[in-house]
Amino acid sequence: MPQLLRVQCFNVSRDGFGTGEGQSLERPFGHADPTALFSWRAATASFIYRTEPGGSRGLDDYIVRDYDRNIGAEIMGRNKFGPQRGPWENHEWQGWWGDNPPFHLPVFVLTHHERPSFTLADTTFHFLDASPAEALAQAKQAAAGRDVRLGGGVATIREFLEADLVDEMHIAVAPVDLGRGERLWESHTELLDRFHLESVPSPSGVTHLLFWRR
């Protein structure tokens, strides 16, 4: 089986924005309310941060369970890792996720500024100044035959789409408008020259868009 590059459980607003404007340490999604984007996911039984029994089953939970299926490594942009810009002022910042990040696999962070790799629990973060194709080659090697997840953010997904490297995508469209921020697309129909699409509305209010290469 070929190794795939997959986008899993990535959220956008109804008007196409994946995050708001003005990211900061206190507001990772800028002016956007993350609850409006992610509440469907947090409600599921399989949500990765769930600490108590319960949660919804059905379509949304099925989608969330697919998040880790056959994933061996992740690629993310620097803005998903943290709010810092430019050269690393220090190495104390180790991501939004605390001492036990939810990845449990090698993570490749794209940045133009060097930083040594480090490990928290069973997640190792590597920092790459590399093209999308170069980063994907390293991530596939680390994934040891499994697929690679493209974790975002918006600019990173767009960069890999422009390089024609994405094989599958799941995008959850939340019933909210952000008005400004980082836009994934003007319309998802922009991708239909390269991808098949299945659109599945959920009782939670989101619409799941499932793309796979033609």
Side-chain angles (χ1 to χ4, degrees):
M1 293 287 290
Q3 286 179 279
L4 303 178
L5 180 63
R6 295 159 43 199
V7 177
Q8 296 290 142
C9 294
F10 192 82
N11 279 79
V12 299
S13 62
R14 192 166 41 202
D15 52 350
F17 293 95
T19 190
E21 192 175 72
Q23 184 194 50
S24 67
L25 179 62
E26 295 76 21
R27 297 185 67 87
F29 293 91
H31 81 283
D33 175 8
T35 301
L37 292 174
F38 301 110
S39 59
W40 72 272
R41 188 174 173 184
T44 63
S46 301
F47 182 52
I48 58 175
Y49 293 113
R50 178 168 295 285
T51 57
E52 298 179 357
S56 66
R57 297 290 181 179
L59 174 62
D60 290 345
D61 188 62
Y62 180 84
I63 292 285
V64 169
R65 279 185 280 139
D66 206 39
Y67 177 76
D68 282 327
R69 177 183 58 81
N70 197 42
I71 296 293
E74 172 158 333
I75 298 171
M76 67 172 63
R78 180 169 174 177
N79 292 2
K80 179 176 176 179
F81 178 78
Q84 296 179 344
R85 304 293 186 269
W88 299 96
E89 296 179 3
N90 59 63
H91 296 164
E92 293 181 5
W93 174 263
Q94 295 186 315
W96 304 105
W97 306 280
D99 294 333
N100 187 22
F103 305 103
H104 314 296
L105 42 71
V107 175
F108 295 85
V109 182
L110 300 181
T111 174
H112 295 302
H113 302 279
E114 292 184 1
R115 176 172 176 166
S117 301
F118 66 87
T119 299
L120 292 173
D122 55 356
T123 297
T124 298
F125 292 94
H126 305 282
F127 299 85
L128 300 181
D129 183 4
S131 70
E134 291 166 342
L136 180 57
Q138 291 195 44
K140 282 185 173 180
Q141 183 175 11
R146 291 181 290 170
D147 295 340
V148 175
R149 184 172 55 228
L150 184 60
V154 172
T156 299
I157 292 176
R158 289 182 62 91
E159 188 175 9
F160 278 76
L161 283 170
E162 289 166 5
D164 200 25
L165 294 172
V166 179
D167 297 296
E168 295 181 0
M169 288 199 303
H170 161 248
I171 307 293
V173 181
V176 60
D177 295 318
L178 294 183
R180 65 190 193 279
E182 288 196 67
R183 187 190 290 277
L184 182 62
W185 53 44
E186 293 287 342
S187 169
H188 66 270
T189 59
E190 298 166 12
L191 301 178
L192 297 185
D193 61 331
R194 286 179 286 159
F195 292 91
H196 299 284
L197 169 65
E198 185 170 352
S199 176
V200 186
S202 168
S204 64
V206 302
T207 298
H208 298 291
L209 301 180
L210 306 172
F211 297 86
W212 66 98
R213 290 179 68 96
R214 291 185 176 276

